[in-house]
Amino acid sequence: NRATCDETWGLLLPFGTVPWERKIESALSLAGIQLVRVGGLQDANGMKGLLCLWDLDAETLFQARNLTSKALLQLQTAVRSRFTRPLVWVTRCAVGVEAGAGAGPTGLGAAPLWGLMRTARSEHPDLRLRLIDLCDDPQGSGIISALMLDNEAECAVRRGQVLVPRIHRVAESVRSPPKQRLVRSDGAVLITGGLGDIGSRIARWLATCHGVTDVVLTSRHGKQAPGADSLVAELARLGAKATVVAGDISDLNSVKSIMANFTEKRPLRGVVHAAGVLDSGVISTLTQQQFEATCGPKVHGAWNLHQVTRNMNLDIFVMLSSISGVLGMPGLANYAAANTFLDALAYLRHAQHLPATSVAYGTWDSQGMVASLAKTTRTHLIQFGLDFLNPEDGLKGLERAVRSGRPLTIAAALDLGRLQQYYGQNGGIPPLLGPLLHQHSAEERRTSSLRKTVASAPPEKRGVLVLRKVRQTVAQALGFEHPEQVGVTEPLQGIGIDSLTAVLIRNHLSSLTGLVL
């Protein structure tokens, strides 16, 4: 459909001309939308919005590193300048939509932008941020329909159709088929991060529940890692030979060295990529160094493993991803970006008829990365409705995900009532979660408007009402039992407010007041 009136949008090309740029310009021109090239966000003031085309003719890991670097800087500029125009990121074949659809996400280097942008939307709901992925759109007309769906934060165009993401609960099978072995018994399973809490649990589980008798466990420190000898001895008692190898999974040469452990007589039959580093923060404070620290083991590690094993006869290729990449949880932008790459890689491998399972986990109740979470972060996770996942349930979810044949499965302990309340207090339920939450409760919980309450009160009581609501909001964010515990004369950091809780408090108060704070 032709736009109701001529519109002018800015066109930003962060890495110069892209091959599919003219197709977009022609399609939008037919709809009455004119694109004007700009050099930055500031040049789009006065225009309808800004389209930013993300593409780079380079190797996948080089793409991922450079695209995320420039994208983070752009978001930080948008936050500082309070960019109020719609900012639409357009990628090409960067995300998967369904198993076996076409060639899969061949533009994998741009996949982390989706996790990054999702977190930016969560932290800064006042910004008008959207994502569109184009693939298999010969006429280029899909961009028009996607752009017009301004109530959808994310769209993917495939064969001229506009697809939108939704989360659905996986139905329990009434009659389970006879269980086959996850992994053939004639070879070994490689577990990266195998000496970590979750990696070691998976190793024990494979030995006890699936008859795996040969595992190779990697970590940066190898046998020098704490607990390495005791884990090897424990696995031996369970009937599994464990080989501990020191290596940097983010380095291709190191991965090739690890692969030397496998031969014709000792074939590699399965990969479990459990390595990961958590070094996050809110978008306004994130650094490139933090991005690289998180993306190294996740993004580089997964890609290296994909490259060196894609001609091997594997039974499983499992990647431990995170729900933060799907939901864009605040304070985890770089972690979300890294895990979105894993999710897209699973779709790519499926398109190439290779085994792949990405399991987007919630937070495990374990001694791994969760042990390093700050108290305020734990409080936020609980209020978000994300309970800690029992390790036994986590392993059951892993098996169900692998046996399902799906590229991507979320495995998390979600309290839907608290999740619905969280979004009800922070701008409303996003379309992504509609099927999940609207099935849980027919009526969305709504927070009364603070503005109306204050306006109807006598002038001399308005300040007291506002202060009370602010203290209630701060107490809730910090996990205090009573608002009176919030000292109004203390510095913010003195009562426990960090950068993440500051963002959450601001967003909640913005939702209550209808103001941009």
Side-chain angles (χ1 to χ4, degrees):
N1 295 330
R2 187 178 178 86
T4 55
C5 61
D6 288 350
E7 299 175 345
T8 300
W9 283 68
L11 177 63
L12 184 57
L13 307 172
F15 292 91
T17 302
V18 298
W20 39 284
E21 163 201 344
R22 290 189 178 278
K23 184 182 292 185
I24 287 180
E25 289 181 321
S26 298
L28 293 180
S29 177
L30 292 174
I33 299 174
Q34 179 185 5
L35 293 180
V36 176
R37 295 195 188 188
V38 298
L41 299 184
Q42 70 282 356
D43 300 325
N45 289 326
M47 298 182 180
K48 177 74 173 181
L50 178 62
L51 283 183
C52 187
L53 310 190
W54 294 96
D55 201 358
L56 183 58
D57 184 16
E59 182 267 337
T60 297
L61 294 183
F62 185 89
Q63 282 186 46
R65 184 184 302 111
N66 287 272
L67 291 175
T68 53
S69 175
K70 190 159 283 192
L72 174 62
L73 290 175
Q74 185 185 106
L75 286 175
Q76 290 174 334
T77 300
V79 171
R80 284 195 306 270
S81 64
R82 297 184 180 180
F83 188 76
T84 58
R85 306 290 175 182
L87 174 58
V88 183
W89 283 2
V90 185
T91 57
R92 186 173 182 272
C93 303
V95 294
V97 294
E98 57 187 14
T106 53
L108 205 61
L113 299 188
W114 283 65
L116 177 59
M117 177 68 97
R118 287 167 180 164
T119 302
R121 286 203 310 269
S122 296
E123 292 185 13
H124 300 279
D126 52 307
L127 300 181
R128 301 159 70 184
L129 307 174
R130 296 185 61 203
L131 288 157
I132 297 175
D133 189 62
L134 304 178
C135 204
D136 301 328
D137 188 27
Q139 305 304 318
S141 57
I143 182 67
I144 304 169
S145 301
L147 199 59
M148 297 305 169
L149 284 176
D150 54 9
N151 61 323
E152 292 287 348
E154 300 178 8
C155 299
V157 177
R158 299 293 186 271
R159 296 181 292 277
Q161 284 189 312
V162 179
L163 308 177
V164 294
R166 296 291 186 268
I167 293 179
H168 293 271
R169 183 189 291 274
V170 175
E172 294 280 357
S173 300
V174 178
R175 295 181 61 187
S176 300
K179 288 187 177 180
Q180 298 177 338
R181 296 181 65 99
L182 281 185
V183 186
R184 281 168 285 176
S185 59
D186 65 340
V189 174
L190 170 67
I191 305 177
T192 70
L195 298 181
D197 185 76
I198 296 178
S200 61
R201 288 179 186 273
I202 292 174
R204 296 185 194 98
W205 171 73
L206 287 172
T208 55
C209 299
H210 296 283
V212 173
T213 59
D214 191 354
V215 293
V216 175
L217 312 174
T218 75
S219 80
R220 283 181 174 271
H221 302 291
K223 294 179 181 179
Q224 305 304 314
D229 291 338
S230 61
L231 177 60
V232 170
E234 182 182 358
L235 288 170
R237 291 193 294 272
L238 296 173
K241 169 191 172 185
T243 305
V244 176
V245 180
D248 180 2
I249 204 71
S250 65
D251 179 76
L252 181 57
N253 289 327
S254 182
V255 174
K256 289 179 178 178
S257 177
I258 293 169
M259 290 297 149
N261 287 277
F262 308 108
T263 63
E264 287 187 9
K265 293 184 178 179
R266 189 194 192 188
L268 179 64
R269 294 305 188 196
V271 171
V272 178
H273 184 36
V277 171
L278 187 62
D279 183 13
S280 298
V282 296
I283 281 177
S284 59
T285 64
L286 264 182
T287 65
Q288 185 60 32
Q289 290 71 29
Q290 287 176 293
F291 245 100
E292 291 175 0
T294 300
C295 288
K298 284 280 187 181
V299 175
H300 293 236
W303 184 250
N304 290 338
L305 290 168
H306 164 66
Q307 292 284 77
V308 300
T309 66
R310 58 184 173 181
N311 293 321
M312 296 183 180
N313 186 13
L314 299 182
D315 294 322
I316 60 172
F317 188 98
V318 178
M319 296 173 286
L320 271 57
S321 178
S322 169
I323 194 173
S324 65
V326 179
L327 299 184
M329 296 177 64
L332 295 167
N334 55 345
Y335 198 64
N339 285 290
T340 306
F341 181 91
L342 303 190
D343 301 341
L345 177 57
Y347 280 95
L348 175 64
R349 286 181 59 90
H350 268 254
Q352 296 175 347
H353 306 291
L354 298 172
T357 305
S358 187
V359 187
Y361 274 116
T363 308
W364 284 55
D365 186 7
S366 68
Q367 298 303 310
M369 286 187 285
V370 68
S372 64
L373 293 177
K375 179 183 177 182
T376 51
T377 303
R378 290 169 175 261
T379 299
H380 167 58
L381 292 176
I382 292 171
Q383 292 173 352
F384 186 80
L386 190 61
D387 292 328
F388 292 143
L389 184 64
N390 180 286
E392 185 177 337
D393 291 334
L395 294 171
K396 288 180 181 177
L398 176 60
E399 179 167 359
R400 287 187 63 194
V402 173
R403 293 193 184 279
S404 74
R406 288 185 300 271
L408 173 61
T409 300
I410 298 171
L414 283 172
D415 184 298
L416 298 186
R418 273 186 276 130
L419 183 62
Q420 183 155 320
Q421 183 177 28
Y422 174 87
Y423 281 111
Q425 294 175 345
N426 291 276
I429 296 172
L432 172 71
L433 292 168
L436 196 64
L437 296 185
H438 289 163
Q439 289 175 3
H440 174 72
S441 174
E443 184 177 350
E444 181 179 338
R445 302 180 188 179
R446 300 191 180 276
T447 305
S448 60
S449 169
L450 176 61
R451 177 181 289 186
K452 291 181 180 178
T453 302
V454 172
S456 61
E460 65 275 10
K461 292 187 178 181
R462 291 174 181 173
V464 175
L465 288 172
V466 172
L467 179 58
R468 181 185 303 160
K469 179 56 68 174
V470 170
R471 292 179 81 182
Q472 289 173 351
T473 302
V474 173
Q476 180 182 356
L478 295 177
F480 292 174
E481 291 185 10
H482 303 289
E484 290 74 18
Q485 292 177 264
V486 178
V488 296
T489 60
E490 294 184 50
L492 298 182
Q493 289 181 327
I495 58 175
I497 293 179
D498 56 17
S499 55
L500 173 60
T501 49
V503 165
L504 299 174
I505 291 167
R506 180 204 63 206
N507 291 347
H508 190 185
L509 291 174
S510 291
S511 180
L512 287 172
T513 62
L515 301 172
V516 176
L517 304 176

